[in-house]
Amino acid sequence: MHSRKRERSVVEAWRRHSPGGSSRGAILQALAAREIAPARAGPSGAAAWGSLACFGVESEFDMHDPEALRLFRLPQLRRRSKVIEIVCSDDVVVALTLSGVACAFKDGRRVAFLNVTPDEMVRSVLFNRRSASFVTVSTYRADHFSSLHCRSTLVEWVRRGEPEAGLPIFQQEELRWPGFVEFDEVSCRAVTFSAADRTYGIWELANFSLLFRLRDPEIAEVKAAARNALLVVHRRKADAMRVQVLSIADGTSLHDLEHPLSAARVSRIKLFGARPRPVHDASTTFPRHVP
């Protein structure tokens, strides 16, 4: 609630102090002035309203605790490590370090480590709003850190300091390299690739139920492209590349494009080069050339 009030007050200030009034261009001018204002100019004019002076430190947490090393026997706690990821629920903050330690804090104190065994290295943490749980992706020394293991732990269990109550998920998937798991918070879906049978699985994050599988060996990439769409890119041929748009709910085909390839190299990135590039509208399949 407070952050929304601050955002509104900053926008209103920009509207009052910008020459364009409440227009969108005035707000963009204020943002540009904030970014390019020289440091020696000081907080004046639009740059002052665009500064981050209204933000302050509410609390600080220390991931390194020598006493925790003795109690929890996590070898990763022997030395400090950089924090690479921070996720939050309503009242629990989970920080992940480069060494693979995931620690949960509440009300300014540590409540739990999400590493439930000493040989577990947490690689990624996701807050799943659909099930009010933290999802961890980990590797273990027992198999030489060669496969991914996923676990879902309710926020309530973390609050009580009981992360070991978490339930394993995607157990039927063999997530060894080049296998992987990806989460899409917009569509509330997870995509897994099992290296054993080279199949893609699409999962519902609310209850981790399997929606459908893709078993075409010609598939090169699968991405959740929008709230209700799945982008499937096939291996390129000599003169064309097949791209499908599937329903993320049941896998039915929405569009099937056969994109012709020119002699120039094709790069599947979001930035465009200097030459005109064809862009296909996924909703109409109508191609446009972007200069």
Side-chain angles (χ1 to χ4, degrees), residues 1-287:
M1 182 64 71
H2 294 294
S3 61
R4 292 179 181 176
K5 289 182 179 178
R6 288 174 180 173
E7 291 173 2
R8 286 198 295 268
S9 63
V10 171
V11 172
E12 290 299 328
W14 281 338
R15 289 174 178 172
R16 289 194 300 268
H17 291 267
S18 299
S22 60
S23 66
R24 179 173 178 268
I27 297 178
L28 294 178
Q29 289 176 6
L31 288 172
R34 185 195 71 180
E35 296 298 326
I36 65 177
R40 63 177 181 274
S44 60
W49 290 103
S51 68
L52 302 180
C54 59
F55 290 90
V57 177
E58 285 193 359
S59 58
E60 295 181 357
F61 309 112
D62 194 348
M63 296 284 292
H64 184 72
D65 187 352
E67 183 66 16
L69 173 62
R70 183 183 65 84
L71 295 176
F72 297 95
R73 298 181 179 180
L74 294 176
Q76 303 95 315
L77 292 175
R78 292 173 181 169
R79 61 185 64 183
R80 289 188 176 274
S81 181
K82 293 181 179 179
V83 175
I84 59 173
E85 196 171 349
I86 299 176
V87 296
C88 305
S89 67
D90 293 334
D91 59 345
V92 177
V93 178
V94 175
L96 175 65
T97 67
L98 186 62
S99 62
V101 175
C103 188
F105 299 89
K106 181 181 183 297
D107 298 330
R109 62 183 182 87
R110 186 186 67 242
V111 293
F113 286 102
L114 299 189
N115 308 63
V116 297
T117 61
D119 69 333
E120 179 181 2
M121 292 189 64
V122 180
R123 299 298 187 183
S124 181
V125 182
L126 167 78
F127 175 58
N128 183 8
R129 297 184 182 276
R130 296 294 297 272
S131 61
S133 64
F134 289 106
V135 177
T136 54
V137 181
S138 306
T139 58
Y140 292 84
R141 186 182 295 108
D143 62 353
H144 306 287
F145 307 104
S146 61
S147 59
L148 301 175
H149 301 266
C150 303
R151 185 173 62 251
S152 176
T153 308
L154 292 179
V155 175
E156 183 57 34
W157 297 341
V158 176
R159 290 192 190 104
R160 297 200 302 254
E162 301 173 356
E164 64 278 0
L167 302 176
I169 54 178
F170 310 139
Q171 286 184 289
Q172 60 269 51
E173 305 298 293
E174 186 173 344
L175 301 179
R176 294 180 180 272
W177 191 90
F180 64 84
V181 57
E182 292 183 352
F183 301 94
D184 185 74
E185 297 182 64
V186 177
S187 61
C188 296
R189 299 290 190 271
V191 179
T192 60
F193 176 65
S194 179
D197 52 4
R198 301 193 64 82
T199 62
Y200 294 86
I202 313 302
W203 307 76
E204 166 64 59
L205 285 183
N207 52 14
F208 301 104
S209 59
L210 178 65
L211 298 177
F212 59 92
R213 289 189 182 275
L214 301 174
R215 289 187 168 88
D216 190 343
E218 295 299 317
I219 294 177
E221 187 177 6
V222 174
K223 291 286 185 181
R227 185 177 295 274
N228 58 353
L230 192 71
L231 182 67
V232 179
V233 181
H234 292 252
R235 301 184 188 278
R236 59 176 297 171
K237 301 177 182 178
D239 57 350
M241 176 183 292
R242 183 186 177 193
V243 179
Q244 289 181 291
V245 180
L246 307 180
S247 168
I248 205 168
D250 54 12
T252 56
S253 179
L254 302 179
H255 299 290
D256 199 327
L257 309 174
E258 194 77 17
H259 180 66
L261 299 178
S262 63
R265 181 184 178 188
V266 175
S267 181
R268 293 195 302 270
I269 58 177
K270 294 184 180 180
L271 298 177
F272 293 90
R275 297 185 298 276
R277 303 292 180 122
V279 177
H280 288 268
D281 189 331
S283 60
T284 63
T285 71
F286 184 75

